[in-house]
Amino acid sequence: MINLFYMEGLPVAVMGLGKSGLATAEALTQSGADVWVWDDNESSRAAALSKGYKVVDLTTADLTELTTIVWSPGIPHTHPKPHPVALRARAANIELVCDIELLARSERDSAYIGITGTNGKSTTTTLIGHVMEAAGRRIAVGGNLGTPALTFPSVGAGGSYVLEMSSYQLELTYSITFDVAVLLNITPDHLARHGGMDGYVAAKKLIFHRQTKPRTAVIGVDDPTCRAIWEDLKAKGDQVIWPVSALGSVAGGVYAADGWLVDDTFGAAERVAELAAFPALLGTHNWQNAAAAYAACKAAGVPAPAIVAAMTTFPGLAHRQQLVRTIDGVRFVNDSKATNADATEKALATFDPIYWILGGQAKETGLDGLEAYAPRVRHAFLIGEASDRFAAWLEANKVPHTRCGTLDVAVNAAAELALAEALPGACVLLSPACASWDQFANFEKRGAAFADAVNRLEGNAAPEDRA
């Protein structure tokens, strides 16, 4: 656990008592701070009280003693409507920071690798961590990925923190200047929380905050927004800039072309690995992840052969195009982490034909942009709140579909049809394009429920079955 020595004896509040909030309260307590905690949820407050924390109602308490509130990034503090505690804090000139800011203030001698983007950041973060660990580096991996920052060990000078950074966290982190900063892509998401697309883009650009040479910016250039950011940073010339692409050559960067990963960071355009050598990185979107991870690890000083060797052993990310089983030639793939249409697009582009399980709590963009993949979908199986809305989209795009309501029903129905039709390359794909909260606590529990349902199916598993 991180020692927040500079907080000893100081009153500090924690707003939001989820996983990271509780870890923050524990780290502050262990460091000798006077810790106040609050959550709008009564059961969360009761749980904190039972652990011995000082529960203080930040909506009414006198805040003048405080200088800092450690804010859960999931709680709105600006848009669409700031939480009342955020308004009170700012009126009292109290800073709002997230737990990663406390890590940065404590671990000043360590290196930091930050990864953000609308999609792919969890895979890329995990892949970078896998490579760095295989190369013998002293690291800790987490952030938005799931491991709270203040539960990390101290890696000290010579060590690196590899951090997945959400737009929410970037807005509440001020002290880190990333030694390697990765921006994968930007497409519309979380727009209400940022007051629109301009605010969302501005939050993502914070990954490059105060970077100067020899610090390195790794930027995906396959979408117009990120390409414009690349052009802007290149014109300013403050840091080393390596573009990455999954769609073809880009001078001075790392890219996928003709089935190869190509390194042109020093102008040599050297083929470093066949993309087929990375079995857990299927599809064009994963080629971008591979290129970005390669560039980031090279920027961090890992030799190219060591990077490639480690990437061939990468097991993949749970709930992201994860093969659960292959039964009688039909693949069952868990892509529960695809909580918006842009993420689901990556899976739809990878498999054909598809028996698609989708639905849940829809995002603002719904299924917009997926029309070109409708011919790949043999049949769709709808679950959750979005069923009516998504059924209309499926009808408009001439995709046969069945309303299943719940995930277990959908798995059984999809398996029955896929196994009966026995088409070459068939895939039963859970890629919901939705948040999980209507039926599951999180996408992990949704993915685990899918895997459980698949593992209950009868049939002949292929030799590569990884259930």
Side-chain angles (χ1 to χ4, degrees):
M1 181 164 283
I2 298 298
N3 182 6
L4 305 172
F5 55 89
Y6 55 91
M7 287 294 206
E8 184 176 0
L10 297 177
V12 57
V14 176
M15 177 66 187
L17 297 173
K19 191 176 179 182
S20 293
L22 288 172
T24 300
E26 178 64 16
L28 287 166
T29 300
Q30 293 294 325
S31 302
D34 176 16
V35 185
W36 306 1
V37 303
W38 183 253
D39 194 292
D40 292 334
N41 184 280
E42 185 176 352
S43 63
S44 297
R45 298 196 300 269
L49 195 61
S50 71
K51 296 177 185 293
Y53 293 118
K54 185 193 298 184
V55 176
V56 177
D57 186 348
L58 300 180
T59 65
T60 58
D62 182 357
L63 304 182
T64 53
E65 290 183 57
L66 300 174
T67 58
T68 301
I69 297 178
V70 187
W71 195 264
S72 169
I75 302 173
H77 57 92
T78 52
H79 303 286
K81 181 180 180 181
H83 191 282
V85 174
L87 294 175
R88 297 190 76 220
R90 291 197 169 110
N93 202 30
I94 299 167
E95 66 172 358
L96 302 182
V97 301
C98 72
D99 58 337
I100 293 173
E101 174 64 16
L102 300 189
L103 170 71
R105 292 179 185 182
S106 181
E107 299 293 302
R108 295 182 181 274
D109 295 331
S110 304
Y112 289 87
I113 300 173
I115 302 94
T116 197
T118 305
N119 294 297
K121 54 187 179 290
S122 294
T123 297
T124 304
T125 301
T126 307
L127 178 55
I128 291 170
H130 176 80
V131 172
M132 297 282 283
E133 185 176 33
R137 300 301 184 90
R138 191 168 62 254
I139 62 165
V141 183
N144 191 61
L145 187 62
T147 303
L150 298 181
T151 65
F152 290 157
S154 174
V155 299
S160 300
Y161 291 104
V162 182
L163 302 173
E164 178 183 328
M165 299 293 294
S166 71
S167 55
Y168 302 166
Q169 290 168 322
L170 285 166
E171 287 186 325
L172 295 167
T173 303
Y174 308 105
S175 295
I176 295 179
T177 301
F178 286 103
D179 297 276
V180 182
V182 180
L183 173 60
L184 295 166
N185 47 62
I186 297 179
T187 54
D189 200 14
H190 306 303
L191 300 189
R193 268 295 302 269
H194 294 287
M197 188 65 176
D198 288 348
Y200 181 52
V201 172
K204 289 296 190 186
K205 287 170 64 176
L206 292 171
I207 196 82
F208 304 120
H209 178 57
R210 295 188 310 210
Q211 272 198 318
T212 54
K213 294 175 180 175
R215 296 181 178 92
T216 302
V218 175
I219 311 177
V221 296
D222 292 337
D223 66 89
T225 302
C226 284
R227 180 171 282 272
I229 293 171
W230 169 55
E231 296 284 2
D232 182 53
L233 292 182
K234 191 167 57 168
K236 292 177 180 175
D238 291 335
Q239 67 270 81
V240 177
I241 304 168
W242 288 350
V244 298
S245 174
L247 303 179
S249 63
V250 54
V254 179
Y255 55 88
D258 301 322
W260 286 83
L261 184 67
V262 181
D263 180 355
D264 190 45
T265 53
F266 296 133
E270 178 184 1
R271 288 181 168 186
V272 293
E274 286 190 272
L275 292 163
F278 309 143
L281 296 168
L282 299 173
T284 304
H285 64 292
N286 272 323
W287 298 349
Q288 185 190 52
N289 297 336
Y294 176 94
C297 292
K298 183 175 181 179
V302 181
I307 299 172
V308 171
M311 287 171 64
T312 62
T313 64
F314 179 57
L317 186 68
H319 312 295
R320 168 58 85 193
Q321 291 189 30
Q322 179 185 25
L323 179 64
V324 177
R325 292 182 74 183
T326 301
I327 303 174
D328 295 340
V330 177
R331 289 173 290 180
F332 290 77
V333 173
N334 169 17
D335 195 40
S336 181
K337 198 174 188 302
T339 59
N340 59 42
D342 195 61
T344 289
E345 179 184 12
K346 311 304 187 294
L348 296 181
T350 302
F351 304 102
D352 187 11
I354 298 167
Y355 298 81
W356 183 19
I357 300 174
L358 72 161
Q361 193 172 92
K363 297 288 184 73
E364 300 99 319
T365 51
L367 299 177
D368 292 351
L370 300 182
E371 292 78 9
Y373 301 97
R376 291 173 173 251
V377 181
R378 184 74 177 175
H379 200 99
F381 302 85
L382 291 161
I383 63 172
E385 284 181 10
S387 292
D388 288 345
R389 179 178 175 184
F390 283 7
W393 186 94
L394 293 165
E395 288 167 7
N397 287 277
K398 299 180 173 56
V399 177
H401 55 278
T402 302
R403 295 174 186 251
C404 296
T406 59
L407 183 56
D408 57 339
V409 173
V411 169
N412 290 332
E416 182 179 3
L417 183 59
L419 292 168
E421 294 189 338
L423 297 174
C427 176
V428 173
L429 173 68
L430 170 68
S431 191
C434 281
S436 60
W437 301 316
D438 58 333
Q439 295 183 335
F440 299 94
N442 50 52
F443 72 81
E444 293 95 339
K445 291 189 182 299
R446 177 171 62 190
F450 173 79
D452 287 345
V454 170
N455 285 327
R456 289 194 296 267
L457 295 170
E458 296 181 359
N460 297 315
E464 71 272 18
D465 187 342
R466 292 185 286 171

